[in-house]
Amino acid sequence: MSKVLKALALLLLVTTLVWGVTIWQWQRAPRELGNHQIVFHLVLLPAALSVLAWALYAFAGALMRHARRTNPAPAAPVDAGSQAAHDPAAATAEAERRWTHALWAAAAVAGPAGSLDELSAGLQAGELRPDVDAELIDSRGLPVFAARRPGLDADEVQAELDGLSRALAADGAGGEARDPAGMAPAEPGERCVRALALLEQPLHEALVAFAVLAEPLQPQRRRGELSAAAQAAPRFVVASETGEARPAFALARDAAARRSAAATGHPAHAVDATGTGSPAHAHAPTFAATPTAAICLLAPADWTSAERQLARLWLARRLATALPELPLSDAVLVLPCAQAEQGLQQLDQRLVNWRREGRPGLLLALAAESQIGADWVDRLEAHGLLFSGERPEGRVPGEAAVALLLSTPDWPAPAEATLPDGSEAPLRLHRPVIARRSQPAGGQRVSATALRQAATQALEAAGLAPQRPADEAASTAGADDDAPPLLLACTDLDTRPSRSGEAAQALLAALPGLDPVGDVCALGQALGDVGLPRALLAIALASRLVRERAEPAFVFTVHDPLERAALVLAPAAPAAPSNAPSNATNDAALAPRTAVTA
């Protein structure tokens, strides 16, 4: 019951009691009454008593809340060691809760920004904002606000998908690529084509980094010699600086080796066309289990099965062209996801399963979606979700594509080369905490309970104590002094007032030392609603900032009406002394997928 209803109920109760007593007194001693007596007893007196009762009620509630804050109920002490000793499953779950993944590289294209560098610079300068799109018109004939990628050429992707669709239909293997009547190959929609066109650049950048890390996956690295299939496989060759035709992945390794040599002063070793000429092969790591890899494309749930199949074939063709020696065609997965948080959870679970099996795993996570289309605008407007002056809670169509190169922590770093972005060690991506609100966001009442609890769990599991205001520093001196600072946050927050209020409440509670405006990179305010890539895009941007500042970053999502996610991205762990024992549990961090109600 809201405060207004409570106040009305109290007024009704007091008025009824006062009128009952007053009328009983008048009937008990009949007398002539003046107008001022009637107004006083029947109007002013009930109103005054109601106000007094409400003030007493509010004062009592304030006293009770103050008592709970100053004298919290003592919690029963729990011996974690004894509990883990008696419950091995709980000990295992606690250890897995603190696992981390390795984030090697990130690339993205989002709205007006053509790279992560442009996105970071545009956000810091405040130059990225959705604008009026003359090509998208609402039902009133007015242009709508959108964040379109300018100059995107999707004609080549459209022609390639059409060719794949016809080929599937011609060889009889394209049952899923036909329309419902089965008369002709199904054509991919405009938004699907734009999404794959957006993915071209991030995929290319990620594959260059993938080639540098893919040494353990090559047949000659696992069996000691180049397999016949790898020798016979066609190679995508480009001219090197010396004019020699070299595979693309070999050139990527050579360029990375030269950058590393220039930075460290050590001589760079050439890598021949088969990848066997580098001294790194003489010191190839050995694994207890066969290394594995997967390429996962998170696809919007409204893509048809034909569009998902064509996207998988399109992606497999790109991999076969860029990495011909790696048999990755069976490792390409297209996963339909309804929410970005669901996709984040699936990627996390795949890495966790590899680690449980003791298998080093390399995961290329991709996500792409475009909401720039007349059909999407019509759908938003039909459901009252399109942003306009009359609907500030509406959504602004956007588009983005992102690629993250992840792995289990035991994946070996390249011996004589750095990654294309110049980094030598991966960032530590803590496991996400997924929470669910009990009621959809967007009402008059702003509740941040689910997000606040998810953020608290994420920070605690990552070893980051919540920051305290300056006036509490003296009382908390000496507590968590070794916890690294957390001075920035990345989120998919947009301009909707309900989401802004929820994010501000959660940050003030979990990270009171963080400025909810100046220290938060809100992607939604600059790019609109980019759809499924929003969570991975926030992680990609955070990785860029973490490498720049060498400080951990907090990533959270508030776009969905119900789902919330929170995680921490930290710099690479410092190298442990050679004589110090390793602790696999302490390298990790965050959180189980725990359901929390708002």
Side-chain angles (χ1 to χ4, degrees):
M1 183 183 297
S2 65
K3 293 183 178 180
V4 175
L5 294 179
K6 290 181 180 180
L8 292 177
L10 181 61
L11 177 62
L12 179 61
L13 176 62
V14 173
T15 302
T16 303
L17 292 176
V18 172
W19 284 11
V21 174
T22 300
I23 294 174
W24 176 73
Q25 288 288 348
W26 289 348
Q27 291 179 348
R28 181 168 172 268
R31 57 183 176 181
E32 185 177 355
L33 299 174
N35 291 334
H36 65 282
Q37 291 178 313
I38 296 176
V39 171
F40 174 78
H41 286 89
L42 300 184
V43 178
L44 299 180
L45 185 59
L49 292 177
S50 298
V51 172
L52 179 61
W54 182 259
L56 293 175
Y57 172 77
F59 180 70
L63 287 179
M64 294 177 63
R65 288 191 296 270
H66 179 72
R68 284 195 296 266
R69 287 195 299 266
T70 55
N71 299 311
V78 178
D79 188 351
S82 61
Q83 182 179 5
H86 291 86
D87 190 356
T92 302
E94 177 64 21
E96 292 184 355
R97 190 177 76 91
R98 298 183 174 274
W99 281 356
T100 56
H101 312 310
L103 174 58
W104 294 90
V109 169
S115 65
L116 279 179
D117 291 339
E118 292 183 12
L119 179 59
S120 176
L123 285 173
Q124 294 179 14
E127 298 175 351
L128 295 180
R129 285 291 183 271
D131 201 356
V132 175
D133 195 306
E135 299 182 26
L136 297 179
I137 307 298
D138 61 13
S139 60
R140 299 173 297 179
L142 300 176
V144 302
F145 279 89
R148 178 190 295 267
R149 175 67 187 143
L152 180 65
D153 186 6
D155 293 340
E156 293 185 5
V157 175
Q158 177 73 64
E160 186 175 358
L161 294 179
D162 291 343
L164 289 173
S165 182
R166 288 192 298 270
L168 286 174
D171 63 11
E176 293 186 11
R178 295 178 178 269
D179 62 8
M183 299 301 296
E187 296 183 358
E190 177 188 0
R191 294 191 296 110
C192 174
V193 175
R194 288 189 65 89
L196 295 181
L198 286 167
L199 191 59
E200 283 270 21
Q201 179 178 334
L203 177 61
H204 171 74
E205 296 180 19
L207 287 179
V208 173
F210 192 99
V212 176
L213 293 171
E215 296 288 344
L217 298 174
Q218 297 183 21
Q220 71 275 15
R221 301 283 280 120
R222 297 197 301 267
R223 297 192 290 268
E225 60 182 6
L226 190 64
S227 66
Q231 292 176 358
R235 292 186 174 90
F236 172 64
V237 296
V238 296
S240 65
E241 298 175 356
T242 60
E244 177 188 5
R246 302 287 304 284
F249 73 92
L251 292 178
R253 284 198 300 265
D254 289 350
R258 287 192 295 271
R259 286 193 297 270
S260 178
T264 61
H266 299 296
H269 301 277
V271 182
D272 61 18
T274 62
T276 59
S278 172
H281 293 274
H283 306 283
T286 57
F287 302 101
T290 304
T292 186
I295 297 89
C296 295
L297 172 61
L298 304 181
D302 62 342
W303 281 16
T304 64
S305 60
E307 289 175 332
R308 294 196 298 269
Q309 183 185 19
L310 291 175
R312 183 185 181 279
L313 294 175
W314 177 87
L315 184 56
R317 175 178 290 187
R318 294 296 188 279
L319 292 171
T321 301
L323 304 170
E325 295 193 355
L326 301 180
L328 296 174
S329 59
D330 294 336
V332 179
L333 303 173
V334 178
L335 307 177
C337 298
Q339 298 94 14
E341 292 79 8
Q342 177 186 355
L344 192 62
Q345 184 174 352
Q346 291 188 18
L347 298 176
D348 168 71
Q349 194 59 47
R350 183 170 296 273
L351 290 166
V352 168
N353 290 339
W354 283 340
R355 190 164 180 179
R356 288 171 179 168
E357 297 169 0
R359 302 182 65 184
L362 187 63
L363 176 63
L364 178 56
L366 308 170
E369 183 173 359
S370 175
Q371 298 185 357
I372 304 299
D375 59 336
W376 188 258
V377 172
D378 294 341
R379 184 185 306 182
L380 290 178
E381 192 171 19
H383 291 83
L385 298 176
L386 183 64
F387 173 82
S388 65
E390 297 81 10
R391 286 190 294 266
E393 284 285 334
R395 291 151 57 180
V396 176
E399 55 185 0
V402 60
L404 298 181
L405 186 56
L406 306 166
S407 76
T408 54
D410 54 353
W411 193 267
E416 295 289 342
T418 58
L419 294 176
D421 62 356
S423 60
E424 298 180 356
L427 303 178
R428 291 177 294 159
L429 180 66
H430 296 261
R431 295 186 61 193
V433 176
I434 307 297
R436 186 176 178 85
R437 293 173 54 94
S438 60
Q439 295 180 352
Q444 295 181 354
R445 181 181 179 184
V446 177
S447 175
T449 303
L451 180 59
R452 182 176 66 251
Q453 294 184 4
T456 301
Q457 293 180 23
L459 295 169
E460 289 178 352
L464 296 172
Q467 298 172 348
R468 304 289 182 180
D471 56 355
E472 297 183 14
S475 60
T476 59
D480 299 308
D481 290 336
D482 297 332
L486 197 151
L487 301 178
L488 59 99
C490 295
T491 176
D492 59 0
L493 174 67
D494 53 20
T495 57
R496 288 177 288 181
S498 61
R499 304 310 197 270
S500 301
E502 181 180 356
Q505 289 185 17
L507 290 176
L508 289 174
L511 289 169
L514 194 71
D515 183 357
V517 178
D519 298 333
V520 176
C521 296
L523 292 171
Q525 297 177 4
L527 306 173
D529 179 12
V530 299
L532 194 58
R534 53 188 173 82
L536 298 187
L537 185 60
I539 295 175
L541 177 61
S543 70
R544 176 74 165 74
L545 299 176
V546 169
R547 291 194 188 278
E548 284 182 354
R549 308 182 186 184
E551 297 170 347
F554 178 58
V555 180
F556 65 98
T557 63
V558 291
H559 182 277
D560 192 80
L562 292 173
E563 300 294 332
R564 299 290 179 266
L567 59 89
V568 172
L569 185 63
S578 58
N579 58 351
S582 61
N583 189 342
T585 303
N586 293 336
D587 72 334
L590 191 64
R593 295 159 300 282
T594 306
V596 184
T597 58

